[in-house]
């Protein structure tokens, strides 16, 4: 805990105004094009699936629900990548995709001031290749119909993720949204607040957040970071929280075991101690 508090004092975030000014007219035009293209592809997929003889309500419902769960993982993975790697100085990707992640840690309320295009354009853009793949499937049997439905549902929920994320930062979301947050069918504010504690290195899933606990329990993202660092030599979060804090965090995470491993060792130690304890001496009847 002491080492974690020291890292928090070392965090050096970027300037909020400079990051906000990075949202250029060219990026906005690209996002508008991405939203229009995404919606067109999704509507075309729905048209192809409508009355398809190989579909059915249970097949489509299961695809939608599994797509929701998959979107939660995808949101976490993309969020982790955007938070952890790259720099705002990178060409194209830096301003279009990485800049919003940096801005959000500096000014988490900024997303509540974004309109529909700025909120959802990025997710539509990264979903376009999957949308093209979904509409290109032949739909000649139930397997293809399920795959197309699953991919279409998944990217729909991926697109909706930033809207859910935006609502989680609003002081007074609409009543229906607040109800869905309370029953944890979309991302609840209290759950997401865990991520917004410096150095911002956990609870990345932001569609609904169901997968945050299991991924954190097995240290999924810290293990991925060690792998990437070993292969590339890059330091995770160096651009986001500064070199000093980033390197200190690498040191701490390298010495920390996954929570499930810690729990298993504690249970094993307890069982071993109980087995090794001497049995109480029998008492003689008086």
């Amino acid at each position: 805990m002491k080492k974690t508090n020291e890292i928090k004092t070392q965090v050096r975030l970027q300037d909020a105004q400079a990051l906000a000014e990075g949202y250029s007219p060219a990026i906005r035009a690209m996002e508008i094009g991405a939203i229009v293209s995404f919606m067109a592809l999704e509507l075309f997929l729905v048209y192809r699936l409508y009355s398809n003889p190989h579909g059915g309500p249970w097949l489509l419902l299961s695809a939608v629900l599994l797509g929701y769960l998959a979107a939660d993982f995808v949101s976490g993975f993309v969020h982790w990548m955007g938070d952890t790697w790259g720099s705002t100085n990178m060409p194209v990707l830096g301003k279009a995709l990485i800049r919003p992640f940096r801005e959000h840690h500096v000014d988490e309320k900024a997303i509540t001031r974004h309109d529909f295009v700025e909120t959802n354009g990025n997710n539509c853009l990264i979903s376009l290749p999957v949308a093209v793949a979904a509409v290109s499937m032949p739909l000649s049997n139930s397997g293809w119909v399920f795959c197309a439905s699953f991919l279409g549902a998944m990217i729909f929920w991926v697109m909706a993720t930033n809207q859910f994320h935006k609502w989680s930062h609003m002081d007074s979301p609409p009543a229906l949204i607040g109800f869905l947050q309370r029953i944890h069918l979309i991302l609840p504010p209290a759950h997401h607040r865990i991520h917004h504690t410096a150095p911002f290195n956990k609870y990345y899933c932001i569609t609904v957040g169901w997968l945050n606990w299991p991924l954190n329990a097995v240290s999924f993202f810290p293990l991925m970071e060690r792998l990437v660092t070993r292969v590339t030599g890059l330091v995770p979060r160096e651009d986001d929280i500064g070199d000093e804090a980033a390197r200190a965090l690498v040191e701490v995470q390298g010495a920390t075991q996954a929570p499930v491993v810690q729990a298993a060792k504690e249970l094993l130690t307890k069982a071993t101690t109980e087995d090794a304890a001497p049995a109480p001496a029998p008492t003689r009847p008086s």
Side-chain angles (χ1 to χ4, degrees):
M1 181 63 71
K2 182 179 178 182
K3 189 66 175 178
T4 302
N5 291 333
E6 290 176 2
I7 291 172
K8 289 179 182 179
T9 64
Q10 295 170 348
V11 170
R12 299 291 181 268
L13 299 173
Q14 300 180 40
D15 182 70
Q17 183 176 351
L19 289 167
E21 290 172 353
Y23 186 66
S24 66
I27 293 174
R28 185 171 181 84
M30 181 175 65
E31 289 180 341
I32 291 172
I35 290 171
V36 171
S37 301
F38 176 83
M39 294 298 184
L41 288 167
E42 284 283 84
L43 288 172
F44 182 52
L45 178 62
V46 171
Y47 170 76
R48 293 194 66 210
L49 291 170
Y50 182 71
S51 299
N52 184 286
H54 302 291
W58 289 110
L59 183 147
L60 295 176
L61 180 61
S62 61
V64 169
L65 293 177
L66 287 173
Y68 196 46
L69 194 62
D72 199 37
F73 176 78
V74 171
S75 75
F77 194 82
V78 173
H79 189 181
W80 166 74
M81 288 182 64
D83 276 4
T84 309
W85 308 107
S87 163
T88 54
N89 296 321
M90 293 174 64
V92 184
L93 291 178
K95 289 187 175 180
L97 294 175
I98 296 173
R99 179 198 61 82
F101 290 99
R102 303 293 181 268
E103 180 188 17
H104 188 54
H105 287 167
V106 180
D107 181 6
E108 63 182 76
K109 288 293 185 182
I111 192 173
T112 65
R113 302 188 293 271
H114 295 170
D115 62 8
F116 181 84
V117 173
E118 191 172 358
T119 300
N120 301 292
N122 273 345
N123 282 6
C124 287
L125 181 64
I126 64 174
S127 297
L128 286 178
V130 182
V132 171
V135 299
S136 301
M137 291 181 176
L139 307 185
S140 55
N141 56 53
S142 58
W144 282 115
V145 170
F146 178 83
C147 287
S149 303
F150 168 77
L151 290 178
M154 181 184 73
I155 57 174
F156 174 82
W157 296 122
V158 166
M159 183 276 294
T161 290
N162 261 1
Q163 193 63 54
F164 296 166
H165 185 196
K166 176 179 178 177
W167 284 328
S168 77
H169 284 283
M170 292 177 67
D171 295 327
S172 301
L176 176 60
I177 301 306
F179 171 73
L180 293 175
Q181 289 173 338
R182 286 192 296 274
I183 62 174
H184 207 157
L185 285 181
I186 63 176
L187 184 67
H191 180 90
H192 183 51
R193 201 170 294 126
I194 297 172
H195 174 73
H196 279 278
T197 302
F200 320 107
N201 64 330
K202 62 177 65 173
Y203 277 40
Y204 296 100
C205 299
I206 53 174
T207 303
V208 62
W210 292 342
L211 294 181
N212 279 321
W213 185 86
L215 291 175
N216 188 62
V218 298
S219 293
F220 177 81
F221 290 113
L223 290 173
M224 291 291 294
E225 288 168 21
R226 292 178 201 173
L227 176 62
V228 173
T229 298
R230 181 172 297 179
V231 172
T232 67
L234 296 174
V235 178
R237 291 174 204 81
E238 189 173 23
D239 181 69
D240 187 31
I241 64 176
D243 181 72
E244 184 181 7
R247 292 184 182 277
L249 186 58
V250 167
E251 183 180 340
V252 169
Q253 291 188 161
T256 303
Q257 294 178 322
V260 291
V261 174
Q262 294 177 22
K265 284 189 173 182
E266 288 173 5
L267 288 173
L268 182 61
T269 302
K270 182 179 179 182
T272 304
T273 303
E274 290 176 350
D275 289 342
T283 58
R284 295 175 120 191
S286 57

